[in-house]
mmCIF file of all heavy atoms in Angstrom:
data_model
loop_
_atom_site.group_PDB
_atom_site.id
_atom_site.type_symbol
_atom_site.label_atom_id
_atom_site.label_comp_id
_atom_site.label_asym_id
_atom_site.label_seq_id
_atom_site.Cartn_x
_atom_site.Cartn_y
_atom_site.Cartn_z
ATOM 1 N N PHE A 18 -1.530 -9.450 -13.987
ATOM 2 C CA PHE A 18 -0.916 -8.645 -12.941
ATOM 3 C C PHE A 18 0.616 -8.612 -13.038
ATOM 4 O O PHE A 18 1.208 -8.065 -12.066
ATOM 5 C CB PHE A 18 -1.404 -9.242 -11.617
ATOM 6 C CG PHE A 18 -2.827 -8.879 -11.336
ATOM 7 C CD1 PHE A 18 -3.823 -9.820 -11.683
ATOM 8 C CD2 PHE A 18 -3.181 -7.717 -10.661
ATOM 9 C CE1 PHE A 18 -5.182 -9.457 -11.539
ATOM 10 C CE2 PHE A 18 -4.552 -7.402 -10.490
ATOM 11 C CZ PHE A 18 -5.526 -8.270 -10.899
ATOM 12 N N THR A 19 1.142 -9.173 -14.041
ATOM 13 C CA THR A 19 2.602 -9.038 -14.308
ATOM 14 C C THR A 19 2.959 -7.542 -14.367
ATOM 15 O O THR A 19 2.356 -6.807 -15.124
ATOM 16 C CB THR A 19 3.093 -9.717 -15.476
ATOM 17 O OG1 THR A 19 2.680 -11.135 -15.417
ATOM 18 C CG2 THR A 19 4.494 -9.650 -15.708
ATOM 19 N N GLY A 20 3.914 -7.155 -13.605
ATOM 20 C CA GLY A 20 4.413 -5.762 -13.641
ATOM 21 C C GLY A 20 3.627 -4.798 -12.853
ATOM 22 O O GLY A 20 3.888 -3.622 -12.914
ATOM 23 N N LEU A 21 2.701 -5.343 -12.046
ATOM 24 C CA LEU A 21 1.814 -4.340 -11.239
ATOM 25 C C LEU A 21 2.198 -4.334 -9.819
ATOM 26 O O LEU A 21 2.718 -5.294 -9.270
ATOM 27 C CB LEU A 21 0.349 -4.875 -11.276
ATOM 28 C CG LEU A 21 -0.299 -4.802 -12.682
ATOM 29 C CD1 LEU A 21 -1.813 -5.269 -12.526
ATOM 30 C CD2 LEU A 21 -0.207 -3.522 -13.379
ATOM 31 N N THR A 22 1.989 -3.221 -9.232
ATOM 32 C CA THR A 22 2.095 -3.041 -7.810
ATOM 33 C C THR A 22 0.644 -2.909 -7.260
ATOM 34 O O THR A 22 -0.150 -2.191 -7.734
ATOM 35 C CB THR A 22 2.820 -1.781 -7.385
ATOM 36 O OG1 THR A 22 4.200 -1.948 -7.823
ATOM 37 C CG2 THR A 22 2.754 -1.379 -5.918
ATOM 38 N N MET A 23 0.350 -3.626 -6.144
ATOM 39 C CA MET A 23 -0.847 -3.587 -5.431
ATOM 40 C C MET A 23 -0.602 -2.975 -4.106
ATOM 41 O O MET A 23 0.363 -3.393 -3.469
ATOM 42 C CB MET A 23 -1.503 -4.902 -5.387
ATOM 43 C CG MET A 23 -1.879 -5.516 -6.728
ATOM 44 S SD MET A 23 -2.860 -7.037 -6.587
ATOM 45 C CE MET A 23 -4.448 -6.357 -6.136
ATOM 46 N N GLY A 24 -1.442 -1.999 -3.712
ATOM 47 C CA GLY A 24 -1.219 -1.382 -2.432
ATOM 48 C C GLY A 24 -2.529 -1.180 -1.587
ATOM 49 O O GLY A 24 -3.571 -1.209 -2.189
ATOM 50 N N TRP A 25 -2.233 -0.975 -0.267
ATOM 51 C CA TRP A 25 -3.317 -0.621 0.561
ATOM 52 C C TRP A 25 -3.077 0.826 1.028
ATOM 53 O O TRP A 25 -1.925 1.134 1.426
ATOM 54 C CB TRP A 25 -3.474 -1.540 1.748
ATOM 55 C CG TRP A 25 -3.968 -2.936 1.446
ATOM 56 C CD1 TRP A 25 -3.343 -4.014 1.131
ATOM 57 C CD2 TRP A 25 -5.393 -3.191 1.416
ATOM 58 N NE1 TRP A 25 -4.144 -5.033 0.955
ATOM 59 C CE2 TRP A 25 -5.406 -4.633 1.067
ATOM 60 C CE3 TRP A 25 -6.542 -2.513 1.545
ATOM 61 C CZ2 TRP A 25 -6.649 -5.287 0.895
ATOM 62 C CZ3 TRP A 25 -7.766 -3.088 1.365
ATOM 63 C CH2 TRP A 25 -7.784 -4.546 1.092
ATOM 64 N N PHE A 26 -4.091 1.585 1.009
ATOM 65 C CA PHE A 26 -4.126 2.984 1.536
ATOM 66 C C PHE A 26 -5.272 3.094 2.551
ATOM 67 O O PHE A 26 -6.230 2.246 2.568
ATOM 68 C CB PHE A 26 -4.230 3.980 0.450
ATOM 69 C CG PHE A 26 -3.099 4.140 -0.486
ATOM 70 C CD1 PHE A 26 -2.810 3.228 -1.458
ATOM 71 C CD2 PHE A 26 -2.237 5.213 -0.306
ATOM 72 C CE1 PHE A 26 -1.756 3.351 -2.326
ATOM 73 C CE2 PHE A 26 -1.138 5.436 -1.154
ATOM 74 C CZ PHE A 26 -0.891 4.406 -2.141
ATOM 75 N N ARG A 27 -5.202 4.139 3.385
ATOM 76 C CA ARG A 27 -6.327 4.332 4.272
ATOM 77 C C ARG A 27 -6.542 5.916 4.344
ATOM 78 O O ARG A 27 -5.582 6.670 4.142
ATOM 79 C CB ARG A 27 -6.105 3.790 5.621
ATOM 80 C CG ARG A 27 -4.943 4.428 6.453
ATOM 81 C CD ARG A 27 -4.716 3.639 7.735
ATOM 82 N NE ARG A 27 -3.680 4.267 8.490
ATOM 83 C CZ ARG A 27 -3.309 3.789 9.681
ATOM 84 N NH1 ARG A 27 -3.813 2.566 10.161
ATOM 85 N NH2 ARG A 27 -2.351 4.368 10.399
ATOM 86 N N GLN A 28 -7.786 6.273 4.674
ATOM 87 C CA GLN A 28 -8.090 7.641 4.796
ATOM 88 C C GLN A 28 -9.158 7.818 5.946
ATOM 89 O O GLN A 28 -10.199 7.274 5.894
ATOM 90 C CB GLN A 28 -8.702 8.163 3.474
ATOM 91 C CG GLN A 28 -8.918 9.709 3.467
ATOM 92 C CD GLN A 28 -9.128 10.256 2.076
ATOM 93 O OE1 GLN A 28 -9.580 9.484 1.171
ATOM 94 N NE2 GLN A 28 -8.816 11.552 1.921
ATOM 95 N N ALA A 29 -8.660 8.594 6.911
ATOM 96 C CA ALA A 29 -9.555 8.949 7.989
ATOM 97 C C ALA A 29 -10.202 10.249 7.722
ATOM 98 O O ALA A 29 -9.731 11.051 6.927
ATOM 99 C CB ALA A 29 -8.709 9.058 9.297
ATOM 100 N N PRO A 30 -11.363 10.531 8.413
ATOM 101 C CA PRO A 30 -12.073 11.792 8.152
ATOM 102 C C PRO A 30 -11.150 13.024 8.472
ATOM 103 O O PRO A 30 -10.445 13.102 9.384
ATOM 104 C CB PRO A 30 -13.188 11.813 9.156
ATOM 105 C CG PRO A 30 -13.399 10.300 9.379
ATOM 106 C CD PRO A 30 -12.116 9.699 9.292
ATOM 107 N N GLY A 31 -11.158 13.894 7.482
ATOM 108 C CA GLY A 31 -10.318 15.103 7.552
ATOM 109 C C GLY A 31 -8.952 14.919 7.272
ATOM 110 O O GLY A 31 -8.139 15.913 7.431
ATOM 111 N N LYS A 32 -8.457 13.785 6.904
ATOM 112 C CA LYS A 32 -7.010 13.559 6.630
ATOM 113 C C LYS A 32 -6.766 13.079 5.183
ATOM 114 O O LYS A 32 -7.800 12.616 4.538
ATOM 115 C CB LYS A 32 -6.526 12.411 7.576
ATOM 116 C CG LYS A 32 -6.516 12.865 9.091
ATOM 117 C CD LYS A 32 -6.017 11.756 9.962
ATOM 118 C CE LYS A 32 -4.580 11.597 9.802
ATOM 119 N NZ LYS A 32 -4.000 10.590 10.683
ATOM 120 N N GLU A 33 -5.552 13.268 4.753
ATOM 121 C CA GLU A 33 -5.224 12.775 3.399
ATOM 122 C C GLU A 33 -5.069 11.280 3.331
ATOM 123 O O GLU A 33 -4.851 10.613 4.310
ATOM 124 C CB GLU A 33 -3.889 13.437 2.935
ATOM 125 C CG GLU A 33 -4.005 14.943 2.700
ATOM 126 C CD GLU A 33 -2.722 15.472 2.125
ATOM 127 O OE1 GLU A 33 -1.621 14.791 2.208
ATOM 128 O OE2 GLU A 33 -2.755 16.656 1.602
ATOM 129 N N ARG A 34 -5.233 10.735 2.239
ATOM 130 C CA ARG A 34 -5.101 9.316 1.956
ATOM 131 C C ARG A 34 -3.604 8.963 2.236
ATOM 132 O O ARG A 34 -2.668 9.580 1.849
ATOM 133 C CB ARG A 34 -5.413 8.928 0.547
ATOM 134 C CG ARG A 34 -5.596 7.421 0.384
ATOM 135 C CD ARG A 34 -6.464 7.174 -0.886
ATOM 136 N NE ARG A 34 -7.832 7.705 -0.815
ATOM 137 C CZ ARG A 34 -8.806 7.469 -1.746
ATOM 138 N NH1 ARG A 34 -8.519 6.767 -2.776
ATOM 139 N NH2 ARG A 34 -9.941 8.093 -1.530
ATOM 140 N N GLU A 35 -3.454 7.891 3.073
ATOM 141 C CA GLU A 35 -2.159 7.503 3.556
ATOM 142 C C GLU A 35 -1.772 6.088 3.055
ATOM 143 O O GLU A 35 -2.604 5.174 3.172
ATOM 144 C CB GLU A 35 -2.207 7.536 5.136
ATOM 145 C CG GLU A 35 -1.002 7.011 5.830
ATOM 146 C CD GLU A 35 -1.225 6.842 7.301
ATOM 147 O OE1 GLU A 35 -2.418 6.771 7.746
ATOM 148 O OE2 GLU A 35 -0.313 6.805 8.067
ATOM 149 N N PHE A 36 -0.554 5.960 2.690
ATOM 150 C CA PHE A 36 -0.055 4.643 2.267
ATOM 151 C C PHE A 36 0.056 3.690 3.470
ATOM 152 O O PHE A 36 0.510 4.076 4.520
ATOM 153 C CB PHE A 36 1.261 4.757 1.553
ATOM 154 C CG PHE A 36 1.834 3.441 1.194
ATOM 155 C CD1 PHE A 36 1.544 2.815 0.040
ATOM 156 C CD2 PHE A 36 2.932 2.866 2.036
ATOM 157 C CE1 PHE A 36 2.099 1.570 -0.299
ATOM 158 C CE2 PHE A 36 3.477 1.613 1.683
ATOM 159 C CZ PHE A 36 3.089 0.995 0.498
ATOM 160 N N VAL A 37 -0.358 2.442 3.283
ATOM 161 C CA VAL A 37 -0.321 1.458 4.379
ATOM 162 C C VAL A 37 0.792 0.373 3.985
ATOM 163 O O VAL A 37 1.712 0.170 4.768
ATOM 164 C CB VAL A 37 -1.659 0.750 4.609
ATOM 165 C CG1 VAL A 37 -1.502 -0.312 5.631
ATOM 166 C CG2 VAL A 37 -2.665 1.812 5.100
ATOM 167 N N ALA A 38 0.610 -0.300 2.860
ATOM 168 C CA ALA A 38 1.483 -1.384 2.520
ATOM 169 C C ALA A 38 1.301 -1.617 1.002
ATOM 170 O O ALA A 38 0.213 -1.427 0.464
ATOM 171 C CB ALA A 38 1.193 -2.635 3.250
ATOM 172 N N GLY A 39 2.357 -2.199 0.456
ATOM 173 C CA GLY A 39 2.302 -2.497 -1.038
ATOM 174 C C GLY A 39 3.038 -3.797 -1.291
ATOM 175 O O GLY A 39 3.897 -4.168 -0.510
ATOM 176 N N ILE A 40 2.759 -4.426 -2.451
ATOM 177 C CA ILE A 40 3.348 -5.614 -2.857
ATOM 178 C C ILE A 40 3.516 -5.561 -4.359
ATOM 179 O O ILE A 40 2.529 -5.240 -5.085
ATOM 180 C CB ILE A 40 2.617 -6.864 -2.390
ATOM 181 C CG1 ILE A 40 3.417 -8.119 -2.764
ATOM 182 C CG2 ILE A 40 1.188 -6.947 -2.860
ATOM 183 C CD1 ILE A 40 2.870 -9.354 -2.038
ATOM 184 N N ASN A 41 4.628 -5.957 -4.891
ATOM 185 C CA ASN A 41 4.761 -6.161 -6.314
ATOM 186 C C ASN A 41 4.378 -7.541 -6.734
ATOM 187 O O ASN A 41 4.796 -8.528 -6.077
ATOM 188 C CB ASN A 41 6.241 -5.934 -6.745
ATOM 189 C CG ASN A 41 6.609 -4.450 -6.752
ATOM 190 O OD1 ASN A 41 5.745 -3.547 -6.953
ATOM 191 N ND2 ASN A 41 7.869 -4.204 -6.497
ATOM 192 N N TRP A 42 3.395 -7.630 -7.735
ATOM 193 C CA TRP A 42 2.859 -8.886 -8.022
ATOM 194 C C TRP A 42 3.777 -9.992 -8.451
ATOM 195 O O TRP A 42 3.750 -11.106 -7.925
ATOM 196 C CB TRP A 42 1.704 -8.749 -9.018
ATOM 197 C CG TRP A 42 0.869 -9.910 -9.123
ATOM 198 C CD1 TRP A 42 0.855 -10.870 -10.125
ATOM 199 C CD2 TRP A 42 -0.185 -10.278 -8.215
ATOM 200 N NE1 TRP A 42 -0.116 -11.812 -9.879
ATOM 201 C CE2 TRP A 42 -0.731 -11.504 -8.688
ATOM 202 C CE3 TRP A 42 -0.699 -9.737 -7.030
ATOM 203 C CZ2 TRP A 42 -1.781 -12.110 -8.112
ATOM 204 C CZ3 TRP A 42 -1.696 -10.390 -6.429
ATOM 205 C CH2 TRP A 42 -2.291 -11.574 -6.884
ATOM 206 N N SER A 43 4.633 -9.639 -9.352
ATOM 207 C CA SER A 43 5.483 -10.597 -9.909
ATOM 208 C C SER A 43 6.658 -11.044 -8.898
ATOM 209 O O SER A 43 6.885 -12.243 -8.706
ATOM 210 C CB SER A 43 6.166 -10.105 -11.144
ATOM 211 O OG SER A 43 5.190 -9.938 -12.166
ATOM 212 N N GLY A 44 7.347 -10.080 -8.368
ATOM 213 C CA GLY A 44 8.445 -10.488 -7.518
ATOM 214 C C GLY A 44 8.162 -10.772 -6.094
ATOM 215 O O GLY A 44 8.870 -11.386 -5.361
ATOM 216 N N GLY A 45 6.985 -10.183 -5.604
ATOM 217 C CA GLY A 45 6.560 -10.312 -4.236
ATOM 218 C C GLY A 45 7.203 -9.417 -3.266
ATOM 219 O O GLY A 45 6.950 -9.668 -2.030
ATOM 220 N N SER A 46 8.010 -8.472 -3.706
ATOM 221 C CA SER A 46 8.605 -7.532 -2.713
ATOM 222 C C SER A 46 7.485 -6.787 -2.091
ATOM 223 O O SER A 46 6.496 -6.356 -2.727
ATOM 224 C CB SER A 46 9.603 -6.716 -3.408
ATOM 225 O OG SER A 46 9.059 -5.941 -4.476
ATOM 226 N N THR A 47 7.753 -6.371 -0.795
ATOM 227 C CA THR A 47 6.783 -5.615 -0.068
ATOM 228 C C THR A 47 7.358 -4.384 0.543
ATOM 229 O O THR A 47 8.531 -4.257 0.722
ATOM 230 C CB THR A 47 6.130 -6.469 1.116
ATOM 231 O OG1 THR A 47 7.201 -6.993 1.948
ATOM 232 C CG2 THR A 47 5.433 -7.703 0.506
ATOM 233 N N TYR A 48 6.523 -3.461 0.930
ATOM 234 C CA TYR A 48 6.912 -2.247 1.547
ATOM 235 C C TYR A 48 5.780 -1.782 2.515
ATOM 236 O O TYR A 48 4.607 -1.954 2.186
ATOM 237 C CB TYR A 48 7.180 -1.140 0.453
ATOM 238 C CG TYR A 48 7.755 0.110 0.997
ATOM 239 C CD1 TYR A 48 9.053 0.233 1.258
ATOM 240 C CD2 TYR A 48 6.884 1.253 1.261
ATOM 241 C CE1 TYR A 48 9.604 1.360 1.790
ATOM 242 C CE2 TYR A 48 7.438 2.415 1.754
ATOM 243 C CZ TYR A 48 8.808 2.445 2.031
ATOM 244 O OH TYR A 48 9.345 3.585 2.541
ATOM 245 N N TYR A 49 6.188 -1.260 3.636
ATOM 246 C CA TYR A 49 5.267 -0.863 4.642
ATOM 247 C C TYR A 49 5.477 0.517 5.177
ATOM 248 O O TYR A 49 6.647 0.995 5.161
ATOM 249 C CB TYR A 49 5.305 -1.804 5.895
ATOM 250 C CG TYR A 49 4.992 -3.273 5.574
ATOM 251 C CD1 TYR A 49 5.896 -4.153 5.156
ATOM 252 C CD2 TYR A 49 3.673 -3.694 5.704
ATOM 253 C CE1 TYR A 49 5.596 -5.470 4.979
ATOM 254 C CE2 TYR A 49 3.283 -4.974 5.438
ATOM 255 C CZ TYR A 49 4.304 -5.881 5.046
ATOM 256 O OH TYR A 49 3.952 -7.214 4.768
ATOM 257 N N ALA A 50 4.395 1.193 5.481
ATOM 258 C CA ALA A 50 4.586 2.409 6.264
ATOM 259 C C ALA A 50 5.312 2.179 7.567
ATOM 260 O O ALA A 50 5.065 1.183 8.228
ATOM 261 C CB ALA A 50 3.227 3.015 6.526
ATOM 262 N N ASP A 51 6.242 3.041 7.876
ATOM 263 C CA ASP A 51 7.133 2.788 9.003
ATOM 264 C C ASP A 51 6.323 2.617 10.329
ATOM 265 O O ASP A 51 6.638 1.802 11.185
ATOM 266 C CB ASP A 51 8.154 3.858 9.263
ATOM 267 C CG ASP A 51 9.219 3.874 8.203
ATOM 268 O OD1 ASP A 51 9.459 2.905 7.519
ATOM 269 O OD2 ASP A 51 9.871 4.953 8.035
ATOM 270 N N SER A 52 5.250 3.321 10.438
ATOM 271 C CA SER A 52 4.436 3.309 11.639
ATOM 272 C C SER A 52 3.650 2.057 11.833
ATOM 273 O O SER A 52 3.198 1.709 12.927
ATOM 274 C CB SER A 52 3.461 4.536 11.708
ATOM 275 O OG SER A 52 2.649 4.516 10.666
ATOM 276 N N LEU A 53 3.504 1.244 10.716
ATOM 277 C CA LEU A 53 2.668 0.086 10.761
ATOM 278 C C LEU A 53 3.430 -1.230 10.622
ATOM 279 O O LEU A 53 2.863 -2.315 10.877
ATOM 280 C CB LEU A 53 1.687 0.147 9.599
ATOM 281 C CG LEU A 53 0.707 1.376 9.575
ATOM 282 C CD1 LEU A 53 -0.121 1.350 8.305
ATOM 283 C CD2 LEU A 53 -0.114 1.398 10.847
#
C-alpha cells in the first residue's frame, strides 16, 4: 500500500458517487468532504 490513497465514497439513489474521506497510506494525511 505504499504510495496508495484509500478513500470512502457514497452513492444515494439517483445521485452521483460522492467523495466522503480519504487517507494516504504511507504518510497518513487525510482529507474530508467539507459537509462531513
Side-chain angles (χ1 to χ4, degrees):
F18 289 88
T19 301
L21 298 182
T22 293
M23 300 187 71
W25 286 98
F26 290 77
R27 66 186 186 183
Q28 189 165 24
K32 298 180 66 176
E33 292 187 342
R34 196 161 295 187
E35 174 190 21
F36 177 81
V37 174
I40 185 167
N41 287 330
W42 192 258
S43 295
S46 59
T47 59
Y48 186 81
Y49 297 90
D51 288 342
S52 62
L53 303 175

